[in-house]
Amino acid sequence: MIGKLKGLIDSFGDDVVLIDCGGVCYEVFCSGRTLQALPRVGEAAVVFIETIVREDFIKLYGFASEAEKGWFNLLTSVQGVGARVALAILSVLSPAELSSAVALQDKAMIGRANGVGPKLAVRVVTELKGKVPALGGIDAGTLGLQAALGEGLAAGNISDAVSALTNLGYSSAQASGAVARVVAKEGDDTPTEKLIRLGLRELSA
């Protein structure tokens, strides 16, 4: 089984890259995000590989990081999410954003991907809840706060501060991450105004 490919970029397609490894070109299907992160034709690249074997085909799926590969496997474990849909989700959301979406039970974020309707988005956030702490690239405190926010269990001062930061244009992941860092330093009884002020300082750091 192939775990990683190192080689030269031979060419690109809409959702695929050909990687020349010692004269053998491997066709690797990737998310749009991974394709954009790869170097130009002729340059060296490394991609993490997941191999899917069926009766009528063998396909290689490539990822820019182990976290993205882990998310691909998690997403395809959800009923109704095949490899194509999983890549569509990974094209619009990073591993950290996916962790945030699942922790917050934010089906709208998942629904941004092509081929993901409202029912499937709900299934993704529901089935993956509690399965993602090791994959997101964000700390446990942030994940815990995001989970509490998603379940409506966060204290009023904390949820108000996160809401205020998102109203200023920050994403829910950015806002909850900043507030989580402030709470870790100042305590969960910090007044809302101070959480907002220090949260802004964290976001501008």
Side-chain angles (χ1 to χ4, degrees), residues 67 70-71 74-75 77-78 95-105 110 124-140 143-144 146-147:
W71 264 109
L74 271 180
L75 288 167
S77 73
V78 176
E97 289 168 333
L98 275 167
S99 284
S100 176
V102 173
L104 291 168
Q105 295 291 282
I110 303 296
V124 168
V125 298
T126 301
E127 291 191 17
L128 296 185
K129 183 180 179 182
K131 296 183 179 180
V132 301
L135 291 174
I138 50 181
D139 60 82
L143 280 172
Q146 290 173 342

Side-chain angles (χ1 to χ4, degrees), residues 136-203:
I138 50 181
D139 60 82
T142 300
L143 280 172
L145 175 55
Q146 290 173 342
L149 288 165
E151 296 170 7
L153 300 177
N157 60 325
I158 294 174
S159 59
D160 287 347
V162 172
S163 177
L165 293 175
T166 56
N167 288 339
L168 290 173
Y170 295 100
S171 70
S172 58
Q174 290 174 318
S176 56
V179 172
R181 291 192 293 273
V182 173
V183 168
K185 298 173 185 175
E186 305 290 332
D188 57 14
D189 58 348
T190 304
T192 301
E193 294 78 7
K194 188 174 182 180
L195 287 175
I196 296 170
R197 185 175 73 255
L198 295 180
L200 286 168
R201 188 177 300 170
E202 289 283 340
L203 288 164

Side-chain angles (χ1 to χ4, degrees), residues 1 7-8 13 26 47 60 74 83 88 96 101 108 114 121 179 197:
M1 199 68 69
L8 301 178
Y26 292 88
V47 289
L60 303 181
L74 271 180
N114 289 333
V179 172
R197 185 175 73 255

